[in-house]
């Protein structure tokens, strides 16, 4: 599950707006944290640096390990994938491969690899690089950590020539035009020993073939990139791109106000409101590609059948999980916490992806109904004691630990409502807010947890993280699972959708999977947050949104935003004819900042990545 790290707030949800505006005023005079210190852009400066503030720290610079949104976004900038997504309509378009064709039985796929893509150290990128990448993932568990689900059905991968890649499948696979796997240079990566430990963060520049070259990195501080002048689609317009980490969202916003950074994302309603009226700053508020959920610990387990962790026994009961659904008022959360910058949650996939968006039927809907929730708890045998507290089977009062991010104000605000709503049912709630949620998540030492992922145009990955195959091999290992769900009926549907090439039939199977997740109560999707971002219009002339109409800038399914960005004092235009430039946005001569607070995309390492892409 990919976690979001947002600014620390302690007030009740109803007071968030006022508190946030006050915090903005207080932090406006603060210096931007962490060196190197960004510089304000001046017309006389020739070097143009795009500075993006983000709240998420990098989990790994290895594309074989990284799952957090900030990390996978960097990999999209530095490595080509076989295919890309069109910024207008999400259809598959050429990437490293110029075309792809299946055999009659669709068990063999042949990709034509372009001949005009070079690695940044000189050699041509070839089919052999792609074959080596996939074969390494197929034969090395460490290399399969982040993206192993994409190759689990591969039978054989070969490169008959430098421009021909052949993938043989065990059974049909509908995601062959949506293999979101960075292709790496064989001549560099074949020297790596232990892929499970190699983070690719010691030797710079990092060899790649994407629009940018990774030149420098400091943990929890910044990532620097420069344009790849030989990129086949054309070099980016900025001289440098720097992602800088801000743990505090208000500090990132203050840096934007002072012109120290060009862009911030995952704004709170208070931050958004405060920025909308300010000169040279534009707020972009668009439908998001994420969901915001409350996940239950279904009993942490490994593939070897051994259970671990200490999740509450009561959560193993489906009626209890459904009761927790019924006790949450989504309308209040959207109105009071997100203040209208979100849509009420239902199915697992956001409405932005209309092909796979699912809504429960009227008879199936677990709408806000505290009385019904209490009835289900009674039926499940979790009665109230003399003190009005529901008790576990061992006689102890139920008190759920809710894992949350210390830097995420939405987690804390929603947590206060959970205390109130669950309290009325006789259930206690303790918010366990931490800077690092990865360790307790992997160990299964939680009851409930705020969860969320950014969904790709093809939903296969976010569906795969709830299969039994995604569980860790043992309690000591790190699996691909989100929160240890293992349901045979769900797995059967997953296998069916993966093998279904008919778009309509596949979409129906995906919706059946969402229905199953909803009914079992393991994943309570509470909202689909908007992508709320801001940029300086006096620093950036234009930048691409995705989708073109009412789309997001940060965390795209591709590299369109930062690759297309044009400096405010530049007369240049996007060099890509396949997609149009959409939004006016700002750019800074300094350091690209990784927004610290407010970002919904803090993914946890493999098993808890909340915001995959």
């Amino acid at each position: 599950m990919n976690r979001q790290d947002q600014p620390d707030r302690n007030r009740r949800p109803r007071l968030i707006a006022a508190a946030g505006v006050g915090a903005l005023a207080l932090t406006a005079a603060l210096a931007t944290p962490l060196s190197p210190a960004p510089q304000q852009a001046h017309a006389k400066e020739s070097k143009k640096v795009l500075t993006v503030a983000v709240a998420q720290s990098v989990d790994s610079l290895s594309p074989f390990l990284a799952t957090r949104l900030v990390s996978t976004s960097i990999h999209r900038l530095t490595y080509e994938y076989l295919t890309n997504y069109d910024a207008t309509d999400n259809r598959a378009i050429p990437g490293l491969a110029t075309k792809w064709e299946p055999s009659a039985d669709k068990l063999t796929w042949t990709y034509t690899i372009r001949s005009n893509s070079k690695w940044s150290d000189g050699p041509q990128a070839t089919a052999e690089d792609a074959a080596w990448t996939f074969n390494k993932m197929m034969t090395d568990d460490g290399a399969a950590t982040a993206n192993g689900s994409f190759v689990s059905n591969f039978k054989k991968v070969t490169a008959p020539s430098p421009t021909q890649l052949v993938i043989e499948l065990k059974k049909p696979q509908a995601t062959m035009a949506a293999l979101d796997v960075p292709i790496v240079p064989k001549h560099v990566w074949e020297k790596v020993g232990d892929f499970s430990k190699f983070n690719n963060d010691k030797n710079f520049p990092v060899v790649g073939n994407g629009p940018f070259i990774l030149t420098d990195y400091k943990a929890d501080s910044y990532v620097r990139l420069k344009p790849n002048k030989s990129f086949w689609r054309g070099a980016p317009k900025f001289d440098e791109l720097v992602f800088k980490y801000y743990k505090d969202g208000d500090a990132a916003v203050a840096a934007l106000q002072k012109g120290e950074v060009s862009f911030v994302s995952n704004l709170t309603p208070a931050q958004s409101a405060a920025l909308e009226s300010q000169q040279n700053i534009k707020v972009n508020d668009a439908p998001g590609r994420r969901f915001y959920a409350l996940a239950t610990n279904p009993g942490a387990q490994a593939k070897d059948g051994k259970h671990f962790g200490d999740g509450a026994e009561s959560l193993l009961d489906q009626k209890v999980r459904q009761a927790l659904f019924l006790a949450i008022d989504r309308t209040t959360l959207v109105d009071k916490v997100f203040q209208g910058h979100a849509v009420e949650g239902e199915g697992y996939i956001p409405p932005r992806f209309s092909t796979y968006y699912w809504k429960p039927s009227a008879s199936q809907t677990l709408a806000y109904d505290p009385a019904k929730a209490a009835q289900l708890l009674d039926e499940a045998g979790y009665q109230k004691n003399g003190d009005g507290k529901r008790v576990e089977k061992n006689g102890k009062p139920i008190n759920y630990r809710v894992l949350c991010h210390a830097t995420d104000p939405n987690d804390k605000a929603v947590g206060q409502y959970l205390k109130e709503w669950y309290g009325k049912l006789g259930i206690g709630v303790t918010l366990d807010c931490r800077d690092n949620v990865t360790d307790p998540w992997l160990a299964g030492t939680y009851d409930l947890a705020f969860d969320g992922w950014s969904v790709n145009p093809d939903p296969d990955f976010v569906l795969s993280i709830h299969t039994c195959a995604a569980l860790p091999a043992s309690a000591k290992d790190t699996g691909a699972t989100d929160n240890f769900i293992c349901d045979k009926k769900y797995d059967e549907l997953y296998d069916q959708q993966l093998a279904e090439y008919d778009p309509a039939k596949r979409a129906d199977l995906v919706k059946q999977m969402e229905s199953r997740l909803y009914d079992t109560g393991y994943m309570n999707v509470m909202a689909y947050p908007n992508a709320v971002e801001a940029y300086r219009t006096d620093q950036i002339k234009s930048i691409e949104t995705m989708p073109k109409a009412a789309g997001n800038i940060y965390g795209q399914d591709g590299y369109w935003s930062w690759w297309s960005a044009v400096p405010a004092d530049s007369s240049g235009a996007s060099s890509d004819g396949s997609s149009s430039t959409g939004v006016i946005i700002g750019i800074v001569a300094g350091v690209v900042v990784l927004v610290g607070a407010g970002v919904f995309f803090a993914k946890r390492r493999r098993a808890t990545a909340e915001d995959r892409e």
Side-chain angles (χ1 to χ4, degrees):
M1 139 200 131
N2 294 317
R3 284 296 49 187
Q4 316 110 253
D5 298 321
Q6 298 193 350
D8 212 351
R9 304 293 179 83
N10 295 312
R11 295 183 181 275
R12 295 276 298 175
R14 296 172 179 80
L15 302 180
I16 285 182
V21 172
L24 283 174
L26 289 172
T27 59
L30 295 178
T32 303
L34 300 176
S35 61
Q39 303 171 348
Q40 270 192 293
H42 297 289
K44 64 181 181 181
E45 294 180 352
S46 59
K47 188 175 183 180
K48 298 294 187 274
V49 181
L50 174 58
T51 303
V52 178
V54 297
Q56 202 174 33
S57 58
V58 171
D59 55 341
S60 177
L61 289 178
S62 166
F64 295 98
L65 300 178
T67 58
R68 290 181 180 173
L69 182 65
V70 62
S71 308
T72 57
S73 295
I74 290 170
H75 291 140
R76 279 216 177 259
L77 298 175
T78 53
Y79 300 101
E80 273 281 41
Y81 296 33
L82 288 182
T83 61
N84 207 330
Y85 297 105
D86 186 83
T88 301
D89 57 11
N90 288 329
R91 62 185 173 85
I93 61 174
L96 183 60
T98 58
K99 64 179 181 179
W100 43 97
E101 298 175 314
S103 59
D105 61 5
K106 296 185 178 180
L107 291 178
T108 301
W109 286 72
T110 302
Y111 298 79
T112 299
I113 303 301
R114 67 176 59 257
S115 59
N116 61 340
S117 177
K118 291 185 177 182
W119 296 112
S120 54
D121 61 347
Q124 179 178 326
T126 69
E128 180 61 28
D129 294 302
W132 185 88
T133 299
F134 291 127
N135 277 306
K136 176 56 66 173
M137 293 168 60
M138 293 164 61
T139 58
D140 187 318
D141 289 341
T145 300
N147 299 304
S149 64
F150 289 110
V151 302
S152 60
N153 183 45
F154 286 11
K155 180 179 179 181
K156 184 180 181 180
V157 183
T158 57
S161 76
T163 58
Q164 188 179 66
L165 174 72
V166 179
I167 300 178
E168 298 178 36
L169 305 174
K170 300 172 185 176
K171 57 186 178 181
Q173 181 169 327
T175 61
M176 297 307 287
L179 299 174
D180 294 321
V181 176
I183 302 302
V184 303
K186 175 185 175 182
H187 67 280
V188 174
W189 284 83
E190 64 183 353
K191 300 173 185 177
V192 174
D194 189 344
F195 275 73
S196 67
K197 297 180 180 179
F198 181 71
N199 282 312
N200 196 31
D201 58 0
K202 296 295 186 292
N203 297 314
F204 298 97
V206 173
V207 178
N209 63 338
F212 289 90
I213 299 171
L214 180 55
T215 60
D216 194 17
Y217 164 69
K218 182 178 180 180
D220 295 329
S221 185
Y222 63 84
V223 178
R224 292 182 184 274
L225 305 98
K226 68 178 182 180
N228 181 357
K229 300 297 184 181
S230 63
F231 182 53
W232 68 270
R233 201 185 288 271
K237 300 294 186 297
F238 284 94
D239 298 313
E240 189 174 31
L241 173 63
V242 185
F243 291 94
K244 184 167 180 176
Y245 174 73
Y246 282 92
K247 184 176 180 179
D248 180 77
D250 286 337
V253 170
L256 180 76
Q257 293 171 311
K258 292 184 290 183
E260 294 176 342
V261 302
S262 315
F263 177 91
V264 297
S265 65
N266 301 294
L267 297 172
T268 65
Q271 292 168 340
S272 173
L275 291 173
E276 282 181 338
S277 61
Q278 296 191 19
Q279 187 177 8
N280 298 324
I281 292 179
K282 173 70 174 180
V283 174
N284 182 48
D285 189 345
R289 51 188 288 249
R290 303 186 57 258
F291 63 79
Y292 182 69
L294 185 67
T296 62
N297 183 342
Q301 60 180 312
K303 289 180 182 177
D304 60 13
K306 293 183 179 180
H307 289 260
F308 56 93
D310 59 1
E313 182 181 357
S314 55
L315 293 175
L316 301 179
D317 192 312
Q318 183 176 350
K319 285 188 176 182
V320 172
R321 297 193 300 269
Q322 291 182 335
L324 298 182
F325 258 67
L326 292 164
I328 293 178
D329 185 350
R330 288 162 175 73
T331 301
T332 292
L333 296 183
V334 169
D335 291 346
K336 301 298 184 180
V337 176
F338 295 98
Q339 297 182 31
H341 299 278
V343 177
E344 290 183 30
E346 294 174 304
Y348 187 63
I349 297 174
R352 169 165 158 176
F353 302 103
S354 58
T355 300
Y356 302 107
Y357 176 56
W358 170 85
K359 298 180 62 173
S361 64
S363 60
Q364 184 181 17
T365 298
L366 296 171
Y368 181 54
D369 190 339
K372 177 64 174 178
Q375 178 183 333
L376 285 179
L377 290 171
D378 289 339
E379 292 176 359
Y382 294 93
Q383 307 288 336
K384 289 183 178 180
N385 61 17
D387 297 324
K389 305 295 183 182
R390 303 265 176 188
V391 295
E392 292 277 6
K393 300 299 184 181
N394 60 12
K396 293 183 179 180
I398 296 177
N399 187 83
Y400 293 140
R401 300 158 300 168
V402 181
L403 193 60
C404 67
H405 291 75
T407 54
D408 188 344
N410 292 300
D411 281 8
K412 291 187 175 182
V414 174
Q416 295 304 315
Y417 278 109
L418 293 183
K419 285 185 176 182
E420 177 184 337
W421 293 330
Y422 290 175
K424 292 179 179 179
L425 293 175
I427 294 175
V429 168
T430 299
L431 293 181
D432 184 12
C433 296
R434 309 187 183 197
D435 289 330
N436 172 21
V437 301
T438 300
D439 293 342
W441 200 296
L442 292 175
T445 53
Y446 65 95
D447 299 318
L448 305 172
F450 290 109
D451 194 4
W453 284 82
S454 285
V455 178
N456 294 337
D458 188 294
D460 179 72
F461 180 84
V462 292
L463 296 174
S464 74
I465 58 179
H466 296 308
T467 61
C468 299
L471 294 174
S474 70
K476 297 181 180 180
D477 295 306
T478 300
T481 186
D482 184 21
N483 62 314
F484 305 102
I485 294 174
C486 180
D487 178 76
K488 290 184 178 180
K489 183 175 181 179
Y490 178 90
D491 278 11
E492 291 173 359
L493 291 168
Y494 176 79
D495 290 341
Q496 292 176 44
Q497 68 82 29
L498 184 60
E500 181 56 69
Y501 285 106
D502 182 279
K505 292 180 179 178
R506 184 181 180 220
D508 180 65
L509 289 166
V510 169
K511 291 176 182 178
Q512 291 182 50
M513 295 174 69
E514 295 182 77
S515 178
R516 181 65 179 173
L517 277 180
Y518 186 90
D519 289 343
T520 56
Y522 293 122
M523 290 292 297
N524 183 348
V525 178
M526 298 180 289
Y528 308 113
N530 286 6
V532 187
E533 316 160 306
Y535 49 82
R536 294 200 63 92
T537 58
D538 58 350
Q539 297 176 359
I540 300 176
K541 181 178 181 179
S542 63
I543 194 167
E544 182 96 21
T545 57
M546 184 179 186
K548 176 182 175 181
N552 59 292
I553 296 167
Y554 181 78
Q556 295 180 357
D557 299 294
Y559 40 64
W560 310 118
S561 54
W562 314 127
W563 170 77
S564 71
V566 178
D569 61 353
S570 171
S571 59
S574 174
S575 60
D576 175 37
S578 67
S579 55
S580 59
T581 299
V583 178
I584 302 302
I585 154 177
I587 210 165
V588 185
V591 183
V592 177
V593 185
L594 292 163
V595 174
V599 66
F600 271 132
F601 314 132
K603 303 189 164 193
R604 78 184 177 92
R605 168 99 177 206
R606 187 61 236 163
T608 58
E610 170 192 349
D611 258 324
R612 156 75 187 167
E613 264 284 291

